[in-house]
């Protein structure tokens, strides 16, 4: 599986260290760009998925590797990437991170001023949620690289970070400090920061991410990736749908509402475009269909959004397995159909078909991942590579053989068939699960369909 991009880069041999690597979104992006990567991931099931996918992995805690095993990392790594845990910053969380933004900014300043790890760790222990401090790990890795005998103190050349939009204030502070103060050894970076929408890069879902791309001073000014697809505008879609209802006709695929001044861009990808055709083990999903999600509903059924197969999916989260799919049989009959399989959920995240989701909590793995197509654009922009091909990840993924998985697992866990004492403890592997089962609606028509029957399908 290769990209149409040229192998030329601002670096002779880019090699990515992917912190908080999850099931492999950014590593899959690196794979199709022919860029090697090593991912560090603490969740056992996500590691099982990574091994099955053939991705080089360390089953370990990011902080523990930095403290105790940094010198064991390949010294040729020159690109640092990561998406720290977002629960405390996400609008879906309790907001501990958002409340601690100013405090975390002070830790950024202390670290770049050269404060000792011991002193910083002691004070970080006072944070109400320890996951909030994870957003500092990329900076701490960057500093550690300059102190590493194994690297001869050589800093990372490129840094690529992504998180939920609420973290943009921290990325902006990162940028200011990296440009003006630099790391304790004096290394400075040129930085680009912004919030990007994944559907504008060909991902078949609407998802916003705060992004930071940094290059070591002297390697050229970085820029954020340029959109290749049009922005999905919900209001424009709704206006067009209402107009179509008045005219008693259905829009064709060529008539999807788009932003008028984006005519040089490709149309955003819809769920139907991603799932309709048979590919690999995916049998194809009959269209038209509708999806009722509970994302952003706060558990209130009346707030659940409904989208058709002609629209991008709502943000894919760990709740993707709860999304209710309705099949439209004719203009009067809508019935509840099969919910999204993990293969389909992954495809809505832009993972290739047949990606080998493994272990437990697979929906959570899908929801937590970096959309791989988005990742190809981030890495390409960071390294000065050409814009990736729009269809670069639409071919089925070739899973690793048993012998390849055994080799990867031996490297990642210390044994070819099991975890070892060096792996994180099993009780820390998964977030606590809800004891309340999800409410599953019956096969009735969502209220939102009644007034838009002819225009939405």
């Amino acid at each position: 599986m290769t990209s149409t991009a040229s192998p030329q880069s601002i670096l002779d041999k880019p090699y990515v260290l992917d912190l908080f690597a999850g099931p492999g979104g950014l590593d899959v992006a690196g794979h199709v760009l022919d860029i090697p990567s090593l991912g560090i991931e603490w969740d056992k099931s996500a590691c099982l998925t990574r091994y099955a996918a053939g991705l080089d992995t360390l089953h370990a805690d990011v902080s523990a590797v930095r403290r105790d095993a940094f010198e064991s990392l390949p010294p040729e790594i020159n690109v640092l990437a990561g998406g720290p845990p977002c629960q405390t910053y996400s609008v879906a969380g309790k907001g501990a991170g958002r409340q601690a933004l100013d405090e975390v900014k002070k830790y950024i300043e202390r670290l770049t001023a050269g404060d000792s790890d011991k002193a910083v760790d002691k004070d970080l222990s006072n944070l109400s949620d320890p996951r909030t401090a994870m957003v500092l790990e990329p900076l701490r890795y960057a500093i550690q690289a300059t102190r590493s005998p194994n690297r001869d103190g050589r800093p990372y050349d490129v840094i690529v970070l992504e998180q939920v939009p609420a973290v943009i204030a921290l990325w902006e502070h990162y940028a200011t400090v990296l440009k003006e103060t630099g790391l304790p050894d004096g290394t400075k970076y040129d930085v680009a920061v912004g919030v990007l929408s994944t559907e504008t890069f060909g991902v078949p879902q609407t998802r916003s991410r705060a992004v930071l791309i940094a290059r070591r001073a002297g390697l050229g000014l970085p820029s954020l990736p340029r959109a290749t697809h049009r922005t999905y505008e919900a209001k424009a879609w709704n206006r067009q749908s209402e107009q179509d209802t008045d005219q008693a006709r259905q829009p064709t695929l060529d008539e999807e509402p788009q932003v008028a001044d984006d005519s040089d861009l490709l149309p955003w990808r819809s769920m139907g475009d991603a799932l309709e055709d048979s590919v690999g083990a995916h049998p194809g999903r009959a269209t038209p269909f509708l999806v009722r999600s509970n994302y952003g509903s706060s558990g209130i059924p009346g707030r659940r959004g409904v989208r058709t197969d002609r629209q991008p999916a709502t943000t894919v989260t760990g709740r993707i397995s709860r999304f209710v799919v309705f099949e439209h049989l004719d203009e009067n009959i809508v019935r509840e159909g099969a919910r999204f399989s993990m293969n389909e959920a992954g495809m809505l995240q832009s993972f290739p078909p047949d990606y080998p989701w493994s272990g437990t909590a697979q929906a959570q793995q899908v929801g937590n991942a970096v959309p791989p197509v988005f990742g190809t654009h981030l890495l390409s922009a960071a390294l000065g590579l050409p814009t990736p091909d729009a269809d670069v990840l639409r071919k089925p993924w070739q899973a690793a053989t048993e012998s390849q998985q055994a080799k990867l697992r031996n490297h990642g866990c210390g044994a070819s068939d099991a975890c070892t004492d060096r792996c994180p403890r099993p009780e820390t592997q998964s977030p606590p699960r809800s004891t309340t089962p999800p409410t599953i609606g019956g096969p009735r028509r969502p209220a939102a369909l009644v007034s838009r029957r002819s225009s939405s399908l």
Side-chain angles (χ1 to χ4, degrees):
M1 188 177 296
T2 59
S3 167
T4 58
S6 164
Q8 297 300 315
S9 166
I10 62 167
L11 305 179
D12 290 336
K13 294 181 179 180
Y15 188 169
V16 178
L17 176 63
D18 186 10
L19 308 181
F20 314 101
L26 201 63
D27 303 79
V28 169
H31 178 83
V32 299
L33 295 172
D34 295 322
I35 298 172
S37 64
L38 169 64
I40 303 177
E41 173 55 40
W42 65 274
D43 181 72
K44 179 178 180 180
S45 290
C47 286
L48 292 177
T49 296
R50 293 178 60 85
Y51 297 146
L55 303 177
D56 198 8
T57 304
L58 289 180
H59 183 195
D61 178 84
V62 165
S63 299
V65 171
R66 173 181 53 79
R67 289 192 305 265
D68 307 323
F70 191 91
E71 295 305 300
S72 68
L73 297 175
E76 60 269 31
I77 287 173
N78 50 13
V79 179
L80 178 68
C86 68
Q87 291 91 336
T88 62
Y89 297 94
S90 171
V91 294
K94 295 182 179 180
R98 298 193 301 279
Q99 297 168 9
L101 281 174
D102 290 338
E103 187 174 0
V104 174
K105 289 179 181 179
K106 294 177 182 178
Y107 284 111
I108 293 173
E109 294 167 1
R110 287 180 58 183
L111 287 166
T112 53
D115 271 20
S116 70
D117 284 338
K118 184 177 181 180
V120 171
D121 286 338
K122 178 181 178 181
D123 293 340
L124 283 173
S125 64
N126 295 323
L127 290 174
S128 59
D129 191 321
R131 293 175 299 181
T132 301
M134 292 293 99
V135 77
L136 297 170
E137 282 298 333
L139 177 59
R140 302 186 79 171
Y141 266 74
I143 294 171
Q144 190 67 23
T146 66
R147 298 170 176 169
S148 169
N150 193 38
R151 297 177 56 88
D152 295 326
R154 179 169 49 84
Y156 296 121
D157 293 312
V158 174
I159 301 173
V160 181
L161 305 176
E162 66 89 40
Q163 248 275 18
V164 293
V167 178
I168 189 64
L170 287 184
W171 285 171
E172 290 171 344
H173 199 63
Y174 253 75
T176 298
V177 172
L178 289 173
K179 287 189 291 186
E180 297 180 0
T181 305
L183 304 181
D185 75 326
T187 299
K188 294 185 178 182
Y189 291 83
D190 293 309
V191 189
V193 175
V195 175
L196 303 176
S197 299
T198 60
E199 85 273 10
T200 64
F201 298 94
V203 179
Q205 69 167 296
T206 51
R207 185 187 193 101
S208 296
R209 305 302 288 176
V211 171
L212 177 148
I213 295 177
R215 291 181 185 170
R216 185 168 52 81
L219 291 177
L221 296 177
S223 60
L224 298 179
R226 296 183 61 182
T228 54
H229 293 65
R230 300 172 192 168
T231 302
Y232 170 75
E233 297 282 358
K235 291 183 178 179
W237 175 272
N238 292 336
R239 284 196 301 270
Q240 183 65 48
S241 297
E242 291 168 1
Q243 178 182 351
D244 292 338
T245 299
D246 294 338
Q247 296 175 355
R249 71 175 183 87
Q250 298 181 23
T252 67
L253 288 178
D254 294 333
E255 294 173 322
E256 292 173 345
Q258 305 284 353
V259 179
D261 59 357
D262 285 346
S263 58
D264 59 327
L265 300 178
L266 296 169
W268 35 258
R269 287 190 66 202
S270 67
M271 290 184 283
D273 180 44
L275 301 180
E276 182 175 13
D277 294 336
S278 172
V279 56
H282 174 59
R285 179 173 281 271
T287 58
F289 63 82
L290 304 100
V291 179
R292 184 181 70 197
S293 74
N294 59 4
Y295 179 72
S297 67
S298 300
I300 302 175
R303 292 181 182 174
R304 291 173 180 165
V306 174
R307 290 193 182 181
T308 78
D309 61 282
R310 293 170 181 250
Q311 297 167 275
T314 54
T315 302
V316 174
T317 69
R319 297 177 180 177
I320 184 67
S321 59
R322 304 183 191 180
F323 288 11
V324 182
V325 181
F326 292 87
E327 299 171 342
H328 194 91
L329 302 182
D330 61 37
E331 68 173 19
N332 295 312
I333 301 177
V334 176
R335 72 178 182 189
E336 186 172 336
R339 300 198 179 192
F340 291 133
S341 66
M342 284 304 101
N343 193 15
E344 290 177 315
M347 292 166 70
L348 293 177
Q349 268 279 57
S350 77
F351 276 88
D354 297 349
Y355 196 71
W357 302 102
S358 305
T360 61
Q362 293 180 16
Q364 196 66 47
Q365 292 182 49
V366 174
N368 288 345
V370 176
V373 164
F374 185 56
T376 64
H377 286 270
L378 293 182
L379 290 178
S380 294
L383 297 171
L385 293 170
T387 301
D389 185 272
D391 294 328
V392 71
L393 281 164
R394 300 189 77 168
K395 295 181 180 179
W397 185 265
Q398 184 65 48
T401 65
E402 290 187 6
S403 61
Q404 289 171 333
Q405 291 186 53
K407 182 177 180 181
L408 289 167
R409 188 159 188 169
N410 188 63
H411 175 229
C413 294
S416 62
D417 59 354
C419 285
T420 64
D421 290 342
R422 81 184 194 191
C423 298
R425 296 189 307 275
E427 60 267 25
T428 69
Q429 293 312 291
S430 299
R433 298 187 180 185
S434 172
T435 56
T436 304
T439 300
I440 301 176
R444 61 185 182 276
R445 176 178 301 177
L449 304 186
V450 175
S451 62
R452 296 181 183 170
R453 182 183 60 211
S454 63
S455 62
S456 297
L457 292 164

